[in-house]
Amino acid sequence: MIPESVNSVGNLLTVPINGNQSETVYSRSECSYTNLSERFKHEADFTRQFAHIYAVRLDKMRNIILKKAHKKWGADVKVRKLFELAEEESRKCVVIGTLFKHQVLKPSILKEISEENLSSTNLNNSVQLYSLGKNISWPHSHQEPWYVDDTDELILEDELQRIRLIGKLDVHSVVTGVVCAVFGHEEGDGKFIVDDYCWAGLSERISRPLETNEERFVVFLSGLDLANSGDILLPLQLLVDWIGGFLGGTEEQEHQAHVVRVIIAGNSIRGCADHKVPELLNSYKTCDKDTTSVETIKLLDDFIVQLTKSVDVDLMPGEFDPASHMMPQQPLHYCMFPQASLYKTFHGVTNPYECEIGGRRILGTSGQPIDDIAKFSKTSDPLNMLQNTLEWAHLAPTCPDTLSTYPYHKEDPFVISEYPDIYFAGNQPEYQTKLYEGPGGERIRLVCIPAFSKTHSCVVVNLNTLECYPMNFGTYNPTEGELRYLRK
């Protein structure tokens, strides 16, 4: 006889209700879907200069920021180009342009080639960089490279000129490539005193009616890192079984039947760069690295095909995946997934990725823009960086300065012309989320998706309510004392 205490864990191991011996089957919910990432797909053309992307970025965002400037400082405020500042004679006005950070610690291939006095001392505490006769200390307080220094300067550029900014706009809170409007006046020594500033912000409020009032869920995960994380195979299989409805009681299975899509946000094959020392190989020997990559791709294919049998899967490339390194990254080729590609529910998508599911617009990246901003600013919280890019109305402002991209000349595909309902970044250190509310009542769910290889967690978002929660599939790791006890 089954004890009554098991009822506390759900319907497992309990007598069927009303003598119903038949198995309860739940059908997967369906939802409308539109891929909106066409602007991220392109043919590579390197015949142009990278300066064109800044020109088209400024041209596209000028009118947006101009409206915000008039709303903030009044319709009668004067808006001037940089070459017109001399006529203002220190009178206050608004200037719109692109920010550029002059940073002595910023990596430069020209500096590395030309400067022979580059040296490294005291490696345990700091790296000493000698530039133009100036000794600058670079503390190793960050796990990733960090190129911020107190001598950094902020410069505003428009189509013709540039001017140095000083005042209320903190140089360490922004990065190169952000388009903004500054309010202030010019001093005689070629400096612009900033009294206030404004970003492009969110677009005008858009009505997006929901397709249905029934609950629909989207599952986000990233950073599988299958090449270096053999201990995630069990948590990964638990994830597959959970989404497929093979875990939990009937209530849990009914809940999982409402998952309409799984989005994998990059670094599925590798989660970090390979730093192995190269070895000389004869022509008849296969490189172990190549063999590992092929086996890892097969493992990823085995994982995805289990999901595609019951739910739609969108696979984004990441920084260390075998895809184009430049942003926007193009979809991973279908030939790499001979099993999963047989299903119409498998979709290789770009990075960044934008789509609309059930009336909700979803936009995000595999995390490279957020990681790059962290290297060149003092903003350390990934969620704050994600919010900053939303307020700057730009997915990757540091492209092409420190984050590689293609030399666009007709458009900047990273400009956020319509605000999303869900805005995410993959491969972050931990799970973070926030419901961002705009000045016009806009509600946007910001999500930092943790690397699955480190946290064994995915993120579930309710499309109707925008509620969000993590789901952990970690296994229990016994302590040394417990292991000694088990060995007895």
Side-chain angles (χ1 to χ4, degrees), residues 19-242:
N20 182 12
Q21 302 292 336
S22 62
E23 181 182 2
T24 304
V25 178
Y26 299 101
S27 299
R28 178 74 65 183
S29 298
E30 296 183 356
C31 210
S32 63
Y33 166 78
T34 305
N35 192 333
L36 303 175
S37 302
E38 193 63 32
R39 71 180 188 274
F40 300 126
K41 297 180 180 179
H42 59 84
E43 295 182 0
D45 180 12
F46 295 95
T47 60
R48 306 274 180 172
Q49 294 293 324
F50 285 94
H52 295 293
I53 191 172
Y54 289 114
V56 298
R57 181 183 305 176
L58 180 59
D59 182 67
K60 186 173 183 178
M61 300 184 68
R62 180 184 294 277
N63 292 333
I64 301 174
I65 296 183
L66 185 60
K67 293 180 181 179
K68 297 295 176 70
H70 284 153
K71 185 177 181 180
K72 185 172 185 178
W73 298 307
D76 56 345
V77 67
K78 294 183 179 179
V79 181
R80 294 289 183 260
K81 297 289 185 68
L82 287 179
F83 73 90
E84 298 173 329
L85 290 180
E87 304 173 1
E88 294 300 319
E89 298 179 352
S90 299
R91 288 176 293 187
K92 294 188 176 182
C93 62
V94 173
V95 180
I96 299 175
T98 306
L99 296 178
F100 172 77
K101 288 181 69 172
H102 176 69
Q103 297 179 280
V104 292
L105 295 181
K106 182 186 297 184
S108 171
I109 185 63
L110 296 179
K111 184 185 297 183
E112 292 178 8
I113 295 175
S114 61
E115 293 184 355
E116 297 181 356
N117 60 342
L118 181 66
S119 63
S120 176
T121 59
N122 196 14
L123 295 179
N124 293 329
N125 298 320
S126 63
V127 173
Q128 305 295 330
L129 178 64
Y130 298 88
S131 175
L132 301 177
K134 188 173 183 179
N135 183 0
I136 300 172
S137 180
W138 177 11
H140 278 247
S141 59
H142 286 59
Q143 294 181 355
E144 298 294 332
W146 196 49
Y147 306 106
V148 177
D149 188 78
D150 293 335
T151 61
D152 295 346
E153 297 180 354
L154 201 57
I155 298 170
L156 186 74
E157 298 180 343
D158 64 5
E159 297 87 347
L160 299 176
Q161 294 182 359
R162 55 165 44 186
I163 192 170
R164 183 184 173 192
L165 300 180
I166 57 176
K168 291 187 176 181
L169 184 53
D170 183 15
V171 63
H172 299 302
S173 65
V174 295
V175 291
T176 295
V178 177
V179 178
C180 74
V182 292
F183 176 74
H185 66 278
E186 182 191 17
E187 284 193 344
D189 56 353
K191 299 176 183 177
F192 191 89
I193 309 300
V194 179
D195 296 328
D196 201 359
Y197 57 90
C198 76
W199 315 118
L202 304 180
S203 61
E204 296 181 359
R205 189 169 184 178
I206 303 170
S207 176
R208 300 191 186 116
L210 292 175
E211 183 179 287
T212 177
N213 292 327
E214 296 182 6
E215 287 189 332
R216 298 289 187 271
F217 299 93
V218 175
V219 174
F220 296 87
L221 67 152
S222 67
L224 300 180
D225 191 15
L226 293 175
N228 303 308
S229 305
D231 59 335
I232 73 164
L233 296 182
L234 177 57
L236 200 58
Q237 189 60 50
L238 291 175
L239 169 66
V240 172
D241 294 341
W242 180 70

Side-chain angles (χ1 to χ4, degrees), residues 329-344:
Q329 290 181 290
Q330 300 307 291
L332 296 172
H333 203 284
Y334 282 94
C335 70
M336 299 167 61
F337 309 96
Q339 299 179 83
S341 60
L342 297 177
Y343 292 84
K344 293 182 179 180

